[in-house]
Amino acid sequence: MIHPIDIILAKRDGYELTTEQIQHLVRTVVLYGEQQLAAQRGETLQPLAATDRITEGQLGSFLMAVFQRGLSLRETADLTTAMRYSGETFHTKPLKTFSVDKHSTGGVGDKTSLLIAPIVAAAGLEGTPSISVPMISGRALGHTGGTLDKLETIPGFDTQLSLPQMMEVLRECHAVLVGQTPRLVPADRILYAMRDHTGTVESQFLICASIMSKKLAEDLDGLVLDVKVGSGAFMPTYAQSKSLAELMVSTGERSGTRTAALLTTMDEPLGRFSGNWLEVWECVDILQGKRHAMSADLIALSNALSGWMLYLAGKSASPEAGAQLADELLLSGAAYKSWLQIVAAHGGDTSIFANPAAFHKSTAQRVFSASRDGYLTSMDCKEVGWAVQRLGAGRTKPGAPISPHAGIESHAKLGDRLSPGQPIFTLYVEDESLLDEPYRMLQAAVTIGDIKPNPKPLIREVITGDNRR
Ligand code: URA
């Protein structure tokens, strides 16, 4: 008999868990989620056996034990597999397309999924091979934003589709963007939300299991990972980000999915806006062909990641040629056409894209400006991310609502020359009482100095199964 408490004690004391213990733990997580949902509906399910019952406290405790003790390669693989099969999985093979996806380890203003899905879907519409992008994303996690929260700011957009609905959208639009549901990777749905409020996000083992369980449940032929490095990354050092990238690439390759990881710089918010609706607005502008100078890094990274996806799918001779194709699809309006189709298929109201600025409904704003002249030398990007969350863009507890229109606008990038009083950020809120703390956090996060910093390249290194490149 396996009891959850014995698994917690074993991990707390530094023992390697058996495959059975891990499978059992994941089963209890799913049962916990079912009980929670039933309680929300006012129903009572059959009481669980003591061995199957895990409490919220025990879940937090298990996560903290893993966070502190780590997992072996075998334990990580077991956790990933148990989470992958914790519910239903996609079967994309009947579509006879190359199924490919991208996932990021999480960043600030990191909204590339909103551009990549329509870019690659647009490429998949023409010629062979046909491509599909079955994207399972997440919500805000720690200091980072989440694709689902962003998409759900579009009135009507449903991220909780059933499997048959997902397949229908995928068949029609070549891309679908959904979340973990009580039926699709339900274990990640619970653990992800629990990690967000128990200080257990920044574990390479938990990140690997969370990301790879979702991605492998998509039945992918190819996967591109955007693994962040720098002050806004979950992993505190370059070496740890690289080790996470290698762990995920080998997990993907061992499961038969061609996997590439790009180590990319996250030392400042990506693009112009950080915050849920604000990020959708920025992407709609780009999809409509408007290129704000602050969005240049976002466009470059989205094209590079799309380029790798198109290369893995056999649509381009190299990732660089793929990036070029991605840019052409953006500029020609083909990606925007795909975006409109995808949003409509999810029930979203596309009429708001006619004037995205008019849909932005913050009720108060404050400008944070340079206190002196000099160069924007460095930023504690994680702290900037927390400031965005505290403006209301993130959750205070699992399931709590987010503020769609809260966030920041960046007016300067690292290395820019600033004069006193020049705006660096505009803060937007829907609740004015939330402005003060994030404002102080931003003040502490930004350094202005006399020496121009050397810009770091956006893409630092690429890791593939055979490290060909
Ligand atoms: N994205 C995920 O899906 N999970 C993590 O743990 C981090 C980023």
Side-chain angles (χ1 to χ4, degrees):
M1 297 268 245
I2 306 176
H3 286 263
I5 184 64
D6 296 329
I7 303 173
I8 296 165
L9 292 174
K11 189 38 69 184
R12 183 199 69 183
D13 294 342
Y15 293 103
E16 192 175 20
L17 301 177
T18 64
T19 303
E20 292 69 32
Q21 282 175 315
I22 291 174
Q23 286 171 343
H24 187 75
L25 191 281
V26 170
R27 214 169 77 78
T28 64
V29 171
V30 176
L31 292 171
Y32 168 88
E34 286 171 3
Q35 298 276 338
Q36 295 283 104
L37 285 172
Q40 279 165 22
R41 291 193 301 263
E43 295 167 14
T44 317
L45 299 180
Q46 289 276 19
L48 295 172
T51 48
D52 288 342
R53 205 180 315 125
I54 191 159
T55 65
E56 183 175 347
Q58 284 178 318
L59 269 179
S61 179
F62 171 74
L63 290 168
M64 187 55 83
V66 172
F67 185 92
Q68 295 292 352
R69 293 290 190 176
L71 295 178
S72 67
L73 271 180
R74 203 262 312 142
E75 286 176 300
T76 309
D78 283 347
L79 181 61
T80 307
T81 306
M83 287 170 68
R84 170 184 182 178
Y85 293 113
S86 61
E88 295 168 335
T89 53
F90 255 58
H91 294 285
T92 56
K93 300 291 179 276
L95 294 175
K96 297 199 170 35
T97 57
F98 188 94
S99 64
V100 61
D101 194 9
K102 179 278 337 179
H103 202 91
S104 156
T105 56
V108 182
D110 178 12
K111 53 194 92 66
T112 61
S113 293
L114 306 186
L115 294 173
I116 287 171
I119 289 173
V120 178
L125 289 169
E126 305 290 332
T128 48
S130 189
I131 302 178
S132 52
V133 186
M135 195 179 270
I136 307 176
S137 303
R139 300 189 177 280
L141 185 66
H143 67 284
T144 69
T147 302
L148 301 179
D149 294 326
K150 296 169 200 178
L151 289 169
E152 286 174 0
T153 64
I154 302 168
F157 197 108
D158 187 357
T159 62
Q160 304 285 296
L161 303 182
S162 66
L163 267 184
Q165 287 171 321
M166 288 177 210
M167 290 305 280
E168 206 179 307
V169 175
L170 199 55
R171 206 171 264 123
E172 182 192 332
C173 306
H174 290 243
V176 66
L177 296 112
V178 293
Q180 318 95 319
T181 70
R183 303 181 71 151
L184 189 66
V185 271
D188 188 54
R189 191 178 76 88
I190 303 296
L191 292 175
Y192 192 97
M194 196 66 76
R195 285 166 60 214
D196 187 40
H197 83 130
T198 53
T200 51
V201 171
E202 295 97 337
S203 151
Q204 62 168 302
F205 312 104
L206 295 175
I207 294 176
C208 174
S210 166
I211 293 181
M212 296 309 289
S213 62
K214 287 194 283 292
K215 298 298 107 175
L216 297 177
E218 293 171 3
D219 190 19
L220 294 176
D221 299 304
L223 172 63
V224 177
L225 296 162
D226 178 5
V227 181
K228 304 293 186 190
V229 294
S231 67
F234 281 132
M235 293 292 102
T237 64
Y238 190 94
Q240 280 171 280
S241 289
K242 185 166 175 175
S243 152
L244 170 62
E246 286 167 346
L247 188 62
M248 291 196 291
V249 168
S250 69
T251 307
E253 292 280 335
R254 264 190 283 113
S255 301
T257 301
R258 279 194 72 192
T259 309
L262 278 64
L263 287 156
T264 73
T265 301
M266 178 45 66
D267 279 334
E268 61 186 327
L270 189 66
R272 177 181 173 201
F273 289 121
S274 307
N276 298 297
W277 161 253
L278 290 163
E279 297 189 33
V280 178
W281 170 9
E282 180 174 3
C283 290
V284 170
D285 274 356
I286 294 166
L287 288 160
Q288 291 177 343
K290 294 171 217 147
R291 297 208 160 186
H292 194 284
M294 284 291 133
S295 298
D297 52 357
L298 167 66
I299 296 171
L301 183 58
S302 302
N303 284 342
L305 293 164
S306 303
W308 266 95
M309 291 166 77
L310 296 173
Y311 168 64
L312 291 183
K315 275 276 177 192
S316 63
S318 67
E320 294 75 17
Q324 180 63 38
L325 173 59
D327 205 42
E328 285 161 17
L329 291 163
L330 273 180
L331 291 170
S332 69
Y336 185 49
K337 222 169 123 193
S338 274
W339 166 256
L340 293 176
Q341 203 189 7
I342 295 164
V343 173
H346 279 267
D349 177 2
T350 55
S351 69
I352 59 167
F353 305 141
N355 188 354
F359 187 69
H360 175 53
K361 299 189 192 84
S362 65
T363 52
Q365 63 187 66
R366 188 179 296 172
V367 177
F368 167 65
S369 309
S371 53
R372 50 164 285 196
D373 92 320
Y375 293 100
L376 187 52
T377 320
S378 68
M379 241 183 241
D380 179 344
C381 184
K382 193 180 238 189
E383 200 61 8
V384 175
W386 279 119
V388 173
Q389 301 298 302
R390 299 264 161 90
L391 286 166
R395 293 190 166 69
T396 44
K397 59 178 183 163
I402 49 112
S403 166
H405 302 278
I408 59 168
E409 179 173 2
S410 299
H411 300 291
K413 292 280 176 183
L414 290 176
D416 282 358
R417 180 92 206 172
L418 300 169
S419 37
Q422 189 173 327
I424 300 176
F425 295 120
T426 301
L427 294 73
Y428 298 102
V429 284
E430 293 183 81
D431 171 355
E432 198 166 354
S433 71
L434 297 180
L435 269 175
D436 289 342
E437 189 196 8
Y439 184 86
R440 282 194 298 272
M441 291 165 78
L442 291 175
Q443 273 179 320
V446 164
T447 312
I448 301 174
D450 296 324
I451 299 167
K452 189 172 164 64
N454 278 333
K456 295 207 183 85
L458 197 53
I459 297 164
R460 309 280 282 278
E461 196 173 342
V462 179
I463 294 172
T464 60
D466 48 15
N467 261 329
R468 275 188 300 265
R469 296 177 61 93

